[in-house]
């Protein structure tokens, strides 16, 4: 007699749209990720559109270079410049504050968002209609040069340069 199938194992074998991993990128790379939304209860995730992200640059800066007197809490500011483009058929929101983390092989994921502004250029945090794009920067607080910055879990990841 064969053992009964484990329903939990069967569920996890078919990941939900929210469990899909997005692209892992370096400076100069472009990737596409699914925009996943849930119902008003935070359940029933579904892919609503697609976004494209291009990593234009990652520059380590001092507080004075970004016009602040605040020292980074984790250890190092980095200005991450991205181009975001809606390549899907429905509007998509992008909001990095509170959902962008940094981690390294030795350090568990830490919140990397700051209130230090958006660097040069327009704000990335907005609603993108199909075909619209913005190139702008995020000022992030990371523990050290290198490591991985992740947006909203694993929606997309950026491998930071070590210098």
């Amino acid at each position: 007699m064969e053992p009964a199938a484990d329903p939990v194992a069967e569920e996890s074998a078919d990941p939900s749209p929210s469990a899909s991993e997005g692209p892992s990128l370096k400076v100069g790379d472009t990737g596409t990720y699914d925009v996943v939304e849930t119902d008003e209860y935070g359940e029933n995730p579904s892919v609503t559109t697609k976004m494209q992200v291009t990593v234009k640059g990652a520059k380590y800066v001092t507080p004075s270079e970004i016009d602040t007197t605040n020292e980074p809490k984790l250890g190092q500011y980095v200005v991450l410049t991205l181009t975001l483009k809606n390549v899907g058929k429905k509007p998509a929101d992008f909001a990095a504050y509170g959902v962008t983390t940094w981690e390294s092989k030795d350090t568990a994921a830490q919140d990397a968002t700051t209130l230090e502004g958006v660097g040069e250029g327009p704000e990335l945090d907005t609603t993108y209609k199909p075909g619209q794009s913005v190139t702008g920067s995020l000022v992030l607080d990371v523990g050290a040069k290198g490591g991985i910055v992740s947006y909203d879990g694993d929606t997309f990841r950026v491998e930071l340069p070590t210098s």
Side-chain angles (χ1 to χ4, degrees), residues 56-111:
K56 301 296 248 177
K59 179 182 177 190
Y60 296 102
V61 295
T62 63
S64 64
E65 288 176 292
I66 55 170
D67 295 325
T68 186
T69 57
N70 296 327
E71 290 295 320
K73 292 178 184 170
L74 296 180
Q76 176 68 60
Y77 285 128
V78 63
V79 176
L80 184 63
T81 304
L82 305 172
T83 297
L84 296 170
K85 181 176 184 178
N86 185 334
V87 294
K89 297 182 189 290
K90 293 186 178 180
D93 292 325
F94 182 86
Y97 190 80
V99 296
T100 305
T101 59
W102 173 86
E103 66 183 285
S104 71
K105 67 177 187 154
D106 298 322
T107 304
Q110 304 291 308
D111 180 14

Side-chain angles (χ1 to χ4, degrees), residues 65 79 81 118-122 135-137:
E65 288 176 292
V79 176
T81 304
V118 295
E120 298 295 318
T135 298
S137 298

